[in-house]
Amino acid sequence: AIAGSPFVARRGHSAVLHEERNRIVVFGGTSGGTDGGELNDVWVLHVEPEGLHWSEQHTSGAPPSPRRGHRAVICNQVMLVVGGYG
C-alpha cells in the first residue's frame, strides 16, 4: 500500500521522475468528469526503501496557472512546465 494522503483523481496532468531524489512529481490536470476544473497543485510520490508515500508539495514563488495538456521536465533541480490550456 502507498501511504499518505491521496490526491483527487485527474487527467491531462504531467508526471516526471526526479531520479536524484527518488521521487515522482505530479502537476496539474483536470479533476473529475467533463465539468472538472483545471488544477495547479503539485504532489510528490516519495520512493524510499521503507516504502512509497504521497505528499502535497508547496512551491516557492508564483505557481503556474491551473492547466491541463501541458508538458513538464526536471532540469537542474527545477520542474519546468510548458504549454497546456485551461
Side-chain angles (χ1 to χ4, degrees):
I2 300 176
S5 301
F7 53 86
V8 65
R10 60 190 65 213
R11 63 180 182 208
H13 59 281
S14 60
V16 294
L17 173 64
H18 192 309
E19 288 186 85
E20 293 177 16
R21 293 194 176 176
N22 296 324
R23 55 183 66 172
I24 297 171
V25 183
V26 174
F27 170 76
T30 303
S31 63
T34 57
D35 62 343
E38 283 79 24
L39 305 165
N40 71 338
D41 55 349
V42 178
W43 288 85
V44 176
L45 177 62
H46 303 269
V47 182
E48 300 173 347
E50 308 83 47
L52 306 172
H53 71 276
W54 285 108
S55 66
E56 186 170 11
Q57 181 72 44
H58 300 283
T59 61
S60 61
S65 60
R67 63 186 68 210
R68 67 183 187 271
H70 56 279
R71 299 295 177 256
V73 64
I74 292 183
C75 180
N76 294 328
Q77 308 297 321
V78 176
M79 183 175 177
L80 304 171
V81 177
V82 182
Y85 50 97

